[in-house]
Amino acid sequence: MSSQNQKVLDWADEQLGRVAGLFAILGAVGVCLLMVNILVAVFWRYALNDPIFGIDDVSVMVLAVFAGCAVAYGARNNSHVSVDIITNFFGRSATRYTDAVMRILALGITGLAAFALWTKACGFEEACITENLSIEHTWFYYFLGVALCFYALHLLVMLLVGFANWHGEDPNEAAD
Amino acid sequence: MESETVAILGFVALFVLLFIRMPVGLTMMLIGTVGIYLIRPVAAVPTLAGEIFAEAANFPLIIIPLFVLMGNLAGVSGMSRDLYRAANAWLGHMKGGLASATVVGCAGFSALSGSSLAAALTMGRVSLPEMQRYNYDDGLATGAIAAGGTLGILIPPSAGFVIYAILTEESIGRLFLAGVFPGLMLTVLFVIAIWIVVKRDPSRAPMAAEAVPIGDRMRALAGAGWIIGIVGLTIGGIYTGVFSAIEAAGIGAALAFLVTVIRKALTWPNMQDVFKSTLRASGTLFMILFGAFVFKTFVGFTGITFALSTWVGEQGFTGMQIVIAFLVMFIVLGTFLEGFAILVLTVPLIQPIIEPLGVNMIWFGVMMVIALEMGLISPPVGVNVFVVKGIADGVPLNTIFRGIWPFWFAMLAGVVILVLFPQIALILPNTMFG
């Protein structure tokens, strides 16, 4: 592989790392908000005997953002569980092919999922809003689409890195 | 193509893709989407979007990040160390006592964290150097950590129960309570297993720690007061109906945060570590759930569950026979599939078969989680074993796997006891308030 291509891949990887950092910050804020929301809801209900109308709607929408961040950040950190039996039977001579197939398929489904979330938001829902506060769901579909698109881009970089190191050890393995 | 044929091809493709290391969540998402497309083409893409959003915005799933956060905060605030110290003070002087203290410490930590990996990792870091200092056999020491860690998905809060509850639409609170006594029973069985191992071969735990005076033991127990208090409040709150399981998660996380602040452990590196770990663990579970629900919809479209339950009905099997057959299947699957993968792959198929036979889904959930625990330490893909390997540098993987077997059989004994005495699991959920 030319050094120019390697530089492009390194640059792409670095940018994905930066975006993952943003997902991490947003996710951390999200989980703190979830905690505070529940504390406030419990305090108002028990101490002030005055349940807050619609606070669960806020929690649910924060959860959607958190879930997107967690999936994207998890992708970047190889947290998504896979079953590694194949390396007990075959070496790199076989896994260079199976990994390429696996990454192409994974890229395909994450890309399709991102596309589905952007184009079919609220497709089957009768009312695309939360129950009490009528918060519109559409934007949260879009955000999840962004998270899955990030996952797809990460897989694309992994695929290209795998191709770039076809005849040697795959640097993605070290990350796994 | 017949929908049953699509289902069978789907399962074959699923195992092929898992074999080539495709992430579990993405595999189920891909097979589910393609399968739905083959049966009802127009439904495939909207179902994909709808199921992902439905799980991302599924209110009960708030429990997952909050309990993971609570466990991580317990780790950095030193509460896990206090727990090990207390267990050590009471049990350390006995034969094999340090290994028993590790198991008890893991059980206590599991009551703050829903993750087996977190329990094994956190307690392992504290207890392994201590056991090595007293010349414990590497197999016994690492086996106790790996097995003790598995209690994380049985003793509430448990990520396994949350996923099972979401898949079967059972109450998370009732499942949590159902895990309490079986979790304690398993802890005792692990301690008995350690005792038998050391009794048969004393060289595996040649030295014991010095006996601690009763005053120091009480002080050590008081040192673990925070963790005991948080566990008592969250589990007690669920049992008495004061909190829902979701509220218990929020309050538990807030209290763990408070303890972290009080102990001046709220440093920038610690917070980065806590939030990154929370995101990673939650991301793993959300991705699996996204895929699981697309796959579940596909399985529903094929009608294969109806065909299977009809077939089972025609054969005249009893509920107990079917339950035992499934438990054996889980144990076999656990030797090569990851625990959560087994859960999400099999529950949509199993539930329609066993529920009409009158099987209590709460009881079945507890036994299923124990079977998954066995998978967590079974070769060749026992995830907990690899976690322990990560903290036990010089110990070969084979040694750890050899050390696992006494605990694996203790779990098997636990499953048999629960099959014979279902009330051990059901007494708390059947008497809970609210």
Side-chain angles (χ1 to χ4, degrees):
Chain A
M1 192 180 81
S2 70
S3 61
Q4 185 62 33
N5 288 347
Q6 184 62 52
K7 273 184 189 163
V8 172
L9 281 179
D10 289 345
W11 177 86
D13 193 55
E14 198 183 319
Q15 302 314 311
L16 287 176
R18 286 186 178 157
V19 179
L22 293 178
F23 277 118
I25 293 168
L26 194 56
V29 172
V31 73
C32 291
L33 272 178
L34 285 174
M35 184 174 74
V36 170
N37 250 13
I38 286 176
L39 276 183
V40 168
V42 171
F43 182 78
W44 251 253
R45 198 176 72 220
Y46 283 112
L48 307 180
N49 206 16
D50 181 21
I52 300 174
F53 177 76
I55 194 161
D56 288 353
D57 285 9
V58 176
S59 294
V60 161
M61 291 298 100
V62 173
L63 179 68
V65 173
F66 173 82
C69 293
V71 165
Y73 187 76
R76 179 70 191 167
N77 288 277
N78 295 304
S79 304
H80 297 311
V81 179
S82 57
V83 182
D84 189 7
I85 309 173
I86 194 168
T87 48
N88 293 338
F89 302 102
F90 306 106
R92 172 79 178 132
S93 57
T95 57
R96 66 164 61 99
Y97 294 100
T98 56
D99 281 354
V101 171
M102 177 271 283
R103 284 175 192 144
I104 290 168
L105 292 173
L107 175 61
I109 189 62
T110 44
L112 180 66
F115 169 78
L117 285 158
W118 285 329
T119 60
K120 303 288 177 188
C122 304
F124 280 164
E125 287 188 72
E126 285 175 9
C128 195
I129 50 173
T130 58
E131 279 176 23
N132 298 313
L133 298 180
S134 302
I135 303 170
E136 216 183 314
H137 286 170
T138 318
W139 292 103
F140 298 93
Y141 272 89
Y142 293 160
F143 180 78
L144 288 165
V146 170
L148 280 157
C149 182
F150 174 83
Y151 193 173
L153 288 173
H154 171 70
L155 286 163
L156 179 63
V157 170
M158 283 178 84
L159 178 70
L160 295 175
V161 168
F163 282 143
N165 294 277
W166 189 256
H167 296 292
E169 287 304 309
D170 185 352
N172 295 311
E173 292 280 330
D176 290 344
Chain B
M1 206 186 306
E2 289 283 315
S3 53
E4 278 89 353
T5 314
V6 175
I8 292 164
L9 287 176
F11 274 95
V12 172
L14 187 111
F15 281 103
V16 170
L17 293 183
L18 288 177
F19 183 72
I20 63 167
R21 299 197 285 189
M22 188 155 170
V24 176
L26 290 181
T27 305
M28 289 189 293
M29 199 183 273
L30 177 65
I31 300 294
T33 308
V34 173
I36 295 169
Y37 180 79
L38 290 174
I39 297 168
R40 290 184 203 167
V42 290
V45 176
T47 302
L48 179 60
E51 292 296 347
I52 291 172
F53 179 79
E55 291 321 301
N58 190 345
F59 186 66
L61 287 178
I62 290 175
I63 283 184
I64 288 179
L66 291 178
F67 273 135
V68 174
L69 177 68
M70 182 166 91
N72 288 332
L73 286 168
V76 299
S77 65
M79 281 193 272
S80 50
R81 227 178 8 253
D82 297 340
L83 200 62
Y84 179 71
R85 247 183 239 138
N88 204 354
W90 285 86
L91 300 170
H93 63 284
M94 296 175 183
K95 273 278 181 198
L98 293 176
S100 300
T102 302
V103 167
V104 172
C106 282
F109 186 75
S110 299
L112 271 189
S113 163
S115 159
S116 290
L117 302 186
L121 199 64
T122 311
M123 294 312 291
R125 279 182 185 146
V126 185
S127 63
L128 188 63
E130 193 75 356
M131 285 192 276
Q132 285 174 333
R133 192 157 71 90
Y134 282 91
N135 291 331
Y136 270 50
D137 172 68
D138 282 336
L140 177 66
T142 51
I145 297 165
T150 65
L151 294 167
I153 61 164
L154 181 61
I155 294 177
S158 148
F161 279 147
V162 174
I163 291 184
Y164 179 85
I166 302 278
L167 287 166
T168 57
E169 294 175 14
E170 289 291 338
S171 151
I172 295 175
R174 285 169 64 82
L175 273 161
F176 276 6
L177 290 173
V180 173
F181 285 146
L184 295 175
M185 178 185 76
L186 214 51
T187 308
V188 172
L189 287 173
F190 284 166
V191 171
I192 292 172
I194 292 166
W195 183 82
I196 292 171
V197 167
V198 178
K199 183 89 180 158
R200 286 185 60 193
D201 181 3
S203 69
R204 300 189 73 179
M207 296 159 68
E210 299 78 29
V212 176
I214 189 73
D216 289 348
R217 287 188 202 185
M218 296 308 290
R219 267 189 288 282
L221 194 61
W226 276 112
I227 199 165
I228 294 167
I230 294 174
V231 170
L233 192 75
T234 49
I235 305 296
I238 296 172
Y239 181 73
T240 53
V242 175
F243 309 131
S244 67
I246 298 161
E247 289 167 348
I251 289 164
L255 287 173
F257 192 81
L258 187 69
V259 175
T260 312
V261 173
I262 290 171
R263 294 186 161 187
K264 298 188 174 73
L266 195 72
T267 60
W268 180 238
N270 277 352
M271 284 303 99
Q272 279 187 314
D273 185 33
V274 162
F275 287 115
K276 284 178 179 175
S277 300
T278 305
L279 277 164
R280 280 197 300 269
S282 307
T284 306
L285 291 173
F286 272 106
M287 196 63 229
I288 287 178
L289 282 169
F290 291 170
F293 273 82
V294 177
F295 187 73
K296 192 182 175 189
T297 309
F298 157 61
V299 170
F301 278 5
T302 63
I304 194 156
T305 49
F306 178 73
L308 278 173
S309 59
T310 308
W311 180 80
V312 168
E314 284 169 0
Q315 306 308 307
F317 293 129
T318 64
M320 187 58 83
Q321 285 170 331
I322 295 293
V323 165
I324 290 170
F326 279 134
L327 289 174
V328 171
M329 183 185 82
F330 294 146
I331 291 168
V332 173
L333 283 176
T335 59
F336 62 93
L337 263 184
E338 201 269 336
F340 284 119
I342 301 172
L343 188 72
V344 295
L345 283 174
T346 56
V347 168
L349 273 179
I350 287 171
Q351 188 184 13
I353 296 172
I354 59 173
E355 221 168 11
L357 295 171
V359 174
N360 186 311
M361 291 305 289
I362 300 270
W363 170 68
F364 183 75
V366 173
M367 288 196 300
M368 183 169 188
V369 163
I370 297 179
L372 298 184
E373 284 185 322
M374 294 167 84
L376 281 173
I377 55 171
S378 297
V381 287
V383 180
N384 265 26
V385 173
F386 288 97
V387 168
V388 174
K389 170 71 186 148
I391 50 174
D393 256 350
V395 184
L397 209 53
N398 280 344
T399 306
I400 306 178
F401 274 123
R402 268 202 302 277
I404 285 298
W405 289 113
F407 302 100
W408 194 91
F409 282 109
M411 286 177 177
L412 192 62
V415 172
V416 173
I417 292 170
L418 277 175
V419 168
L420 296 175
F421 305 103
Q423 279 307 314
I424 295 172
L426 296 176
I427 191 160
L428 275 185
N430 286 346
T431 55
M432 75 184 276
F433 299 90

